[in-house]
Amino acid sequence: KNAERTYIMVKPDGVQRGLVGDIIGRFEKRGFKLIALKLVHATREHLEDHYGDLKGKPFFPGLINYMASGPVVAMVWEGLDAVKTGRSMLGATNPLASAPGTIRGDYALAVGRNICHGSDSVENAEKEIKLWFPEGIVQYSHDLAPWIFE
Ligand code: DAT
Ligand code: MG
């Protein structure tokens, strides 16, 4: 369970607004281990795959345009309950409902410009990690683990 993984992505607005370092810093400081990171300008096809479950929603074309509008920062973070805790660090999907202290609650106002993505289940995390990191993930030991986990 300490090794649960989640796919976290800074969306194009987060990159443009200079929030990459802040978002990475929050995950680092919380105690998660960074196991993959890259800047990617994704194709529409790749993004339609990533958001496949939302095909048919009225906002889908706008979502793909937004996500294809610039590079994103794709990351995998590992740690205790990474999926659920990652989601709570992002805040609610609609930033108007995101608590202050969350990423969206601190930096966003509009659902269509909500800065970040985080996997919503362990199963979807596995799928998203495969989709964004087909080349695989680096393994290394995290010497801080005894200070973060029992
Ligand atoms: P989340 O990103 O919190 O997992 P989701 O998977 O339901 O939310 O939707 C993916 C993204 O689509 C979301 O981050 C922003 C956009 N979106 C969702 N609902 C929307 C809506 N009602 N109007 C506009 N964009 C929306
Ligand atoms: Mg989602």
Side-chain angles (χ1 to χ4, degrees):
K1 192 100 199 280
N2 289 358
E4 188 171 296
R5 292 168 168 192
T6 190
Y7 175 68
I8 300 290
M9 169 165 60
V10 185
K11 294 178 177 180
D13 51 338
V15 174
Q16 294 290 336
R17 291 179 54 195
L19 298 174
V20 172
D22 180 284
I23 293 168
I24 290 174
R26 288 173 183 237
F27 280 85
E28 282 185 316
K29 283 177 267 190
R30 188 71 189 260
F32 290 110
K33 175 183 174 185
L34 179 64
I35 56 171
L37 172 80
K38 65 184 175 187
L39 186 74
V40 203
H41 197 151
T43 64
R44 308 177 69 82
E45 189 183 36
H46 185 89
L47 293 163
E48 284 171 12
D49 220 346
H50 173 80
Y51 280 125
D53 294 347
L54 299 174
K55 229 170 243 175
K57 298 272 186 195
F59 58 81
F60 188 77
L63 174 63
I64 299 301
N65 285 340
Y66 155 54
M67 292 299 298
S69 67
V72 300
V73 173
M75 301 179 272
V76 181
W77 291 91
E78 184 180 274
L80 186 65
D81 226 351
V83 168
K84 191 166 151 236
T85 303
R87 293 281 292 186
S88 78
M89 289 167 70
L90 301 195
T93 301
N94 187 337
L96 292 178
S98 305
T102 65
I103 295 163
R104 290 163 175 168
D106 285 346
Y107 302 129
L109 288 170
V111 68
R113 295 289 184 275
N114 65 0
I115 294 176
C116 48
H117 166 84
S119 307
D120 63 5
S121 67
V122 173
E123 190 193 349
N124 283 336
E126 300 294 326
K127 279 192 211 160
E128 291 170 2
I129 292 166
K130 281 201 190 90
L131 177 67
W132 289 89
F133 292 95
E135 68 273 30
I137 277 170
V138 174
Q139 290 300 305
Y140 65 102
S141 71
H142 194 218
D143 297 332
L144 279 175
W147 300 103
I148 294 165
F149 305 115
E150 292 183 277

